Amino acid sequence: EDQVTQSPEALRLQEGESSSLNCSYTVSGLRGLFWYRQDPGKGPEFLFTLYSAGEEKEKERLKATLTKKESFLHITAPKPEDSATYLCAVQVHGQNFVFGPGTRLSVLP
Amino acid sequence: DVKVTQSSRYLVKRTGEKVFLECVQDMDHENMFWYRQDPGLGLRLIYFSYDVKMKEKGDIPEGYSVSREKKERFSLILESASTNQTSMYLCASSLPYRGEEGYGYTFGSGTRLTVV
């Protein structure tokens, strides 16, 4: 069965305190791994797609990396506006995905 | 600005009512999806559609049905609402998979449904 787990469930950081979020997956054949950001009361917003081990993508203070079993979302010098829930999803077939439960990030000023 | 619009942000319905959740996208996307989101469970796929008049069951279709009469509109129907269907419902759309790289979804803002 295809599964996606994320850790930690919640993370509180001080502004400027860098950290990483983890997404681990068990799928029969990874086609793509996607990261989304979700603000309270809103739908998820697409951030990155990664396709092969060793691949990296960056956007502002965020950098996503991929290995054969997991992906990391590194947050460098976060700001309060980075507070959100971060979801990862694996593409299993066609345009269908399995989503992880998310990591709720709080960045305190 | 392209978007996916869900007709209601908040709904309160009574047990046994028939409930319609509407979703419209203006991006000419072939694919549309309905998910529900519950704390600790992540997003779970209810139904999806890859074309007009086409529908496929997702992981948790029981108690739900869908309708896609036009490309831009995908409706989720709760035939007889129950309290365990209280949840956040998210609609999404995407371009079709063409055998190479996949596409990220564009999500609506969600409908928070409470069944009492």
Side-chain angles (χ1 to χ4, degrees):
Chain A
E1 182 183 352
D2 299 323
Q3 281 194 323
V4 179
T5 59
Q6 292 187 248
S7 62
E9 183 177 330
L11 181 63
R12 298 183 75 176
L13 300 173
Q14 291 295 132
E15 184 172 1
E17 180 187 2
S18 301
S19 189
S20 297
L21 313 182
N22 176 265
C23 171
S24 297
Y25 56 89
T26 307
V27 296
S28 54
L30 179 70
R31 292 171 176 79
L33 187 141
F34 291 65
W35 281 97
Y36 290 83
R37 169 191 171 126
Q38 185 174 22
D39 293 303
K42 295 188 177 180
E45 178 184 347
F46 171 67
L47 291 173
F48 303 110
T49 313
L50 301 165
Y51 289 101
S52 55
E55 188 175 359
E56 298 182 353
K57 293 275 179 72
E58 286 189 65
K59 181 179 181 179
E60 296 180 354
R61 295 176 292 281
L62 300 176
K63 183 169 79 172
T65 61
L66 182 65
T67 71
K68 288 187 177 180
K69 292 294 184 186
E70 57 192 351
S71 176
F72 292 93
L73 185 65
H74 307 277
I75 303 174
T76 303
K79 298 182 178 182
E81 53 262 41
D82 295 321
S83 297
T85 296
Y86 290 86
L87 303 171
C88 73
V90 295
Q91 183 181 6
V92 292
H93 63 85
Q95 273 294 102
N96 285 29
F97 297 82
V98 175
F99 282 82
T103 292
R104 190 171 62 255
L105 174 67
S106 301
V107 182
L108 307 176
Chain B
D1 192 19
V2 295
K3 59 183 180 181
V4 175
T5 302
Q6 294 184 230
S7 54
S8 304
R9 292 298 302 274
Y10 301 94
L11 276 178
V12 179
K13 296 293 182 180
R14 295 193 179 277
T15 301
E17 277 193 78
K18 190 169 186 177
V19 181
F20 294 84
L21 303 183
E22 305 288 344
C23 175
V24 177
Q25 51 97 2
D26 63 2
M27 294 165 286
D28 202 34
H29 283 170
E30 284 81 355
N31 298 350
M32 296 188 76
F33 306 83
W34 275 106
Y35 285 85
R36 63 177 284 176
Q37 185 175 30
D38 301 287
L41 296 177
L43 276 77
R44 293 180 290 166
L45 182 63
I46 305 172
Y47 267 95
F48 61 98
S49 169
Y50 284 171
D51 202 351
V52 177
K53 305 234 185 238
M54 175 270 182
K55 59 186 178 184
E56 293 284 348
K57 294 180 179 179
D59 300 319
I60 52 165
E62 295 78 20
Y64 304 94
S65 62
V66 291
S67 172
R68 193 164 181 203
E69 296 296 318
K70 294 184 177 182
K71 187 176 185 179
E72 67 272 17
R73 187 180 297 271
F74 193 35
S75 302
L76 180 69
I77 304 155
L78 285 66
E79 298 292 342
S80 177
S82 63
T83 54
N84 63 12
Q85 293 179 309
T86 292
S87 186
M88 169 70 90
Y89 289 87
L90 288 163
C91 175
S93 73
S94 79
L95 290 168
Y97 181 66
R98 302 191 191 281
E100 298 173 352
E101 298 185 343
Y103 298 97
Y105 289 170
T106 300
F107 281 91
S109 294
T111 295
R112 185 164 295 281
L113 173 68
T114 302
V115 182
V116 298

